[in-house]
Structure formats: C-alpha cells, structure tokens
C-alpha cells in the first residue's frame, strides 16, 4: 500500500498539447494578419482570430475536464501535489521574465534610445538620420514622429479609468484572499460569495480596459501607429489584459468547482494556483500603472 502511495502518477497520452499549439498558432496568425493587413483586407485575419479564440476556449474546457477527472479519481498523491506547486512557481517565474522583458524595453526606449536620438553623447544619430527640429520627447510629443506620421495624439490620464482599474484589482486581491481563508475554514457559502466577487471584479476591469482602448483610438488618436509610445503602451497593457482574461476564466472555473464540492480543507491546490496567478497579475498592474500611466 505504501508503494502505491509513493508511486508518481503519469497521465496517459493526451491530444490537448498539440490542440493547444494549433489553436494558439491560428490565433496569433489571425491577430498578425488583422493588424498588418491593408484597409479592407482584414476579414481573413478577423476570421482566423475568431476561430483561434473559440478553439482556445474549447481546448481549455477539454484539458481542464481531463485534469479535474484525474484529480477527483484520486490519482494525485502528495508527491504529485508538490510537483504541481513547483511547476506553478516556475510558470509564474517565467511570466515575471516575460513582463520583465517588456518593462526593460520600455526603460531602454525612454532612458537610452530617446535621449541618444535627441543628441546626447556625440549627437551623430540625430544630425545624420533625423530631421532638424527633432526633440527627444516621450508621450504626446513623441519626438515629433507620430505627429508627422500618424497625427497628434494624447496620452491616457492616469487618474481616470486607470486609477479605477487599479482599485478594482487591489480589491480583487482582497476578495480572493478572503475566499482562500474561507476554503481552509470549510465555509463554502463564504467562498462562493467572495470568489464570485473576484470574478465580477475581473470582468469589470476588462470592461473598463476595453472602454479605455476605444477612447484611446477614437478620441485621443492613440493607436499602435503612435510611435514607440503607442507600441509600448498597447504591448504592455494588452498582454496584461490577456492575462487578466485568462485569470478571470480560471477563477470562474474554480467557482464552479467549489459549488460542486471538489475541494477540501486539505486538498485545494487548483484554487491556490489560480490565486497565486491572480496576485501576480495584480502586482504587474501596479507596475504598469506607475511606469506606463503616471511616470
């Protein structure tokens, strides 16, 4: 019996990894085509993006169902649980490196590239490759580039929707923590209330961010073509929004599992993993709010 408990569970062959690779490739291909296609020729990109997104949702549903069935069947012992925790830690570490690269790009552009182009050092780049009245500006000035190419733009004010979204995510960290403590205390009703609030807050954040994007494009003329400022703004906030979307979906799935009684006080790593991920997303947003919106 002891040998059975110490045996490490090895899942059977699964089609989900290759399915995930295919649908994510289709999604990225569709997004790239949509963003880079000439006006009036973006229908193929939109179609591929829609198909890929639906495929990702179906892949998540199928893969989660397989893992949940294995968990409920008692296939995971303490050794498997430890490996899951280590895997989640390394995954979050990889996400730290992912966003670290983008924050690094933002830092390099603002602190090195723009000043160099503005004439710091020997000024060779400015005098040889750029126009005479170029100014090393960040944001609305944009080094005179976007005004000449895509038109003048305005930046998003930090003390409007960005501040509201910051308060929303900070509140969601509190609600998911309360839900976690309620789970360890065995209060299912309290878990459902506060975890449901967390899902609602995540969805509200996404709604406000979508509203912010529409306002940026329609009223501020802030687009992906707005120079390096527009590129870094949408790259950082867009990828963060994607992570919030995934986190909200996972929280909703955990809510359904709690409602079905899948977790106990001792065994609830799926809940913990999603909570870790959500706290990570919140911390990243604080960095975005500070370095993208305020500074």
């Amino acid at each position: 019996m002891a040998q059975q408990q110490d045996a490490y569970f090895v899942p059977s062959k699964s089609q989900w990894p290759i399915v995930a690779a295919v649908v994510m490739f289709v999604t990225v291909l569709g997004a790239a085509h949509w963003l880079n296609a000439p006006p009036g020729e973006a229908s193929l990109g939109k179609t591929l993006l829609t198909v890929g997104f639906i495929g990702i949702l179906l892949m998540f549903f199928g893969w989660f169902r397989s893992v949940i069935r294995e968990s409920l069947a008692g296939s995971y012992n303490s050794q498997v649980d430890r490996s899951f925790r280590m895997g989640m830690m390394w995954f979050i570490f990889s996400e730290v490196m992912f966003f670290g690269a983008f924050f690094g790009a933002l830092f390099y552009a603002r602190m090195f590239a723009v000043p160099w182009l503005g004439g710091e050092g020997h000024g060779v780049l400015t005098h040889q490759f750029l126009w005479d009245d170029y100014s090393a500006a960040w944001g609305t000035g944009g080094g005179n580039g976007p005004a000449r190419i895509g038109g003048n733009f305005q930046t998003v004010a930090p003390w409007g929707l960005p501040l509201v979204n910051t308060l929303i995510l900070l509140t969601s960290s509190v609600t998911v923590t309360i839900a976690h403590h309620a789970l360890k205390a065995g209060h299912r009703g309290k878990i459902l209330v506060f975890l449901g609030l967390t899902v609602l807050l995540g969805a509200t954040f996404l709604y406000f961010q979508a509203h912010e994007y529409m306002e940026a494009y329609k009223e501020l003329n802030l687009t992906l073509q707005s120079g390096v400022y527009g590129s870094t703004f949408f790259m950082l906030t867009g990828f963060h929004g994607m992570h919030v979307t995934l986190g909200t979906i996972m929280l909703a799935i955990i809510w359904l599992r709690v409602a079905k009684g899948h977790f106990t006080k001792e065994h609830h790593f799926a809940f913990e993993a999603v909570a870790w991920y959500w706290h990570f997303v919140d911390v990243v947003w604080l960095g975005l709010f500070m370095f993208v919106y305020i500074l």
Side-chain angles (χ1 to χ4, degrees), residues 14-26 55-56 58-60 63:
S14 173
Q15 74 275 18
W16 296 118
I18 187 64
V19 171
V22 171
V23 295
M24 286 191 290
F25 173 79
V26 172
I56 288 177
L58 294 175
M59 178 271 297
F60 272 127
W63 205 340

Side-chain angles (χ1 to χ4, degrees), residues 43 72 111 188 218 233 272 279 284:
S43 58
L72 295 179
M111 303 304 295
R188 184 185 299 181
K218 294 180 180 179
F233 175 83
E272 290 180 313
H279 289 310
V284 171

Side-chain angles (χ1 to χ4, degrees), residues 114-174:
V114 171
W116 284 341
L117 292 174
E120 285 192 11
H122 298 292
V124 175
L125 292 177
T126 303
H127 298 150
Q128 193 167 8
F129 298 108
L130 301 177
W131 43 90
D132 294 333
D133 62 343
Y134 176 85
S135 61
W138 182 259
T140 53
N144 303 332
R148 296 181 176 219
I149 302 172
N152 290 312
F153 69 90
Q154 295 177 320
T155 59
V156 178
W159 309 118
L161 282 180
L163 176 61
V164 173
N165 270 345
T166 301
L167 296 175
I168 287 173
L169 284 187
L170 290 176
T171 304
S172 71
S173 276
V174 175

